[in-house]
Amino acid sequence: MAGQLYLCATPIGNLDDITLRVLKTLEEVDMIAAEDTRHSVKLLNHFDIKTKMTSYHEFNKVDKAIYLVRQMQEGKNIALITDAGTPGISDPGEELVRQCHEAGIKVTSLPGACACVTALTISGLPTRRFCFEAFLPVDKKERKAIFKELQDETRTIIIYEAPHRLKKTLAEIRKELGNRKMTLCRELTKKYEDYKMMYIDDLIEYYKGEEVRGECVLVIEGISFDELEAQEQQTWENISIKDHVQSYIDQGFSKKDAMKKAAKDRGLGKRDIYQALLEEE
C-alpha cells in the first residue's frame, strides 16, 4: 500500500503557532523533507521530534521529488516542511505535489501559518478579493510585465520582499502603480512585529533614514473601478470619435456595432456618436 505526502505548515516566527496536528504528523511519518535541514532541526529539537530528515530545496527539487515519490510508492509516509509557513506557497513544494499527483500519491495539507494571509487580515485593506505575487522576479523584463498587469489590478495586492531590497522596491512600486495606500508588515508573529498603513510616499519618506530589518510583506490597495473607468475614458478622449469607431471596424465589427461600442466606451449615447461623425466629415 502506498504512503502519502503531508504538507505541514510551520510557524513563520512564533513557535507557538504550530498546530497539534502538525506536531503529531511530524512525529509519526517515516521521513521529513525540509527546505533547509539546518534551519528545521531547531524546530524539531524544540518539540523533541526525532524523525529522520532529508533536504528538499530549489536546487534539487526535481530529482529529489522523484526519489521521494518512489519512497511513498513503497509505502512510506513523508511530511514536507518549508523554512516558514505553508509548503507549496512560493517554494519548491509545488514540484513535489505535482509529481505526487502524476504518480497517484495522495496529498493532504495540514493548515497553519501563512505570511500572506496573516498580513492581509491585519492590513486594513479589502480582504474579499486579493492577488498574491510573492517575490517579484529578478529579471527586469518579466518584472516590468508584472507591474504592467498590476497597474489595472482592482484586487488587493500582496508582495513579499527582503529587507535589503525594500527601499528600492517601494520606489519602483511608486513609479509603476502610483501613490497608493499600503500596509507594510515586518517580523510577523515575532517579538518585534510591526505594521504601518500609509501612502507609499509616506512609507518611502519614513524608511529613508531607517535600516530595514526582518522579512517584509507589502499589502497594496488595488485600483478602484471608478479610477479604472476614468482612466479608460481618458484614453478614449485622446483620439477622435471617428478614429475610435474605425478602430472597431478594423477589428471586424459592423459600423453600427462599432458605434455602439464607441458610445459605451465614452459614456455617450449612440445618437451623440452619430452626430459627432457627421460633424467630423
Side-chain angles (χ1 to χ4, degrees), residues 97-277:
V97 172
R98 183 186 66 79
Q99 290 198 28
C100 282
H101 284 300
E102 290 179 353
I105 299 294
K106 184 178 178 182
V107 180
T108 187
S109 183
L110 283 60
C114 183
C116 67
V117 174
T118 303
L120 176 65
T121 54
I122 65 173
S123 69
L125 293 171
T127 61
R128 188 178 71 84
R129 300 169 64 250
F130 65 94
C131 69
F132 175 56
E133 284 295 334
F135 288 97
L136 294 169
V138 177
D139 181 80
K140 290 183 179 179
K141 186 176 180 181
E142 187 180 352
R143 195 177 179 98
K144 188 77 174 178
I146 287 176
F147 272 122
K148 187 175 180 180
E149 287 184 2
L150 294 178
Q151 286 171 359
D152 293 336
E153 178 58 70
T154 58
R155 296 171 295 179
T156 300
I157 302 162
I158 304 173
I159 294 173
Y160 288 165
E161 192 50 280
H164 65 279
R165 291 195 298 262
L166 176 66
K167 295 179 183 180
K168 182 178 178 181
T169 299
L170 285 177
E172 192 175 12
I173 292 172
R174 175 62 175 91
K175 177 184 175 183
E176 299 291 346
L177 304 184
N179 187 28
R180 302 190 188 184
K181 286 181 182 177
M182 176 194 289
T183 299
L184 197 158
C185 304
R186 295 187 307 106
E187 301 279 59
L188 285 171
T189 78
K190 300 177 184 176
K191 182 178 180 180
Y192 296 106
E193 175 180 286
D194 175 63
Y195 60 90
K196 291 178 173 57
M197 184 178 186
M198 302 179 180
Y199 281 92
I200 296 174
D201 280 350
D202 297 326
L203 282 166
I204 291 172
E205 183 65 28
Y206 179 85
Y207 283 108
K208 188 174 289 185
E210 289 282 325
E211 179 184 359
V212 184
R213 296 184 179 182
E215 294 297 316
C216 304
V217 184
L218 286 54
V219 187
I220 310 161
E221 73 171 343
I223 190 170
S224 71
F225 286 106
D226 289 342
E227 287 179 279
L228 195 58
E229 185 177 348
Q231 286 182 9
E232 291 174 352
Q233 292 276 0
Q234 184 62 45
T235 299
W236 295 122
E237 288 174 7
N238 292 331
I239 65 172
S240 69
I241 289 178
K242 182 179 179 181
D243 289 341
H244 192 165
V245 172
Q246 187 61 47
S247 70
Y248 282 121
I249 293 173
D250 292 343
Q251 294 175 46
F253 291 94
S254 68
K255 185 174 181 179
K256 181 180 179 181
D257 288 339
M259 290 171 63
K260 284 182 179 178
K261 292 184 74 64
K264 183 178 180 181
D265 289 341
R266 291 174 176 264
L268 299 174
K270 184 183 173 184
R271 188 170 294 179
D272 297 324
I273 296 294
Y274 180 73
Q275 185 61 40
L277 289 176

Side-chain angles (χ1 to χ4, degrees), residues 39-65:
H39 176 87
S40 295
V41 72
K42 299 173 185 177
L43 175 72
L44 299 189
N45 287 342
H46 181 81
F47 291 105
D48 196 29
I49 296 172
K50 308 297 184 183
T51 308
K52 174 185 175 183
M53 272 198 299
T54 188
S55 65
Y56 178 78
H57 49 71
E58 182 64 30
F59 303 104
N60 72 354
K61 64 181 181 182
V62 176
D63 292 338
K64 194 58 173 285

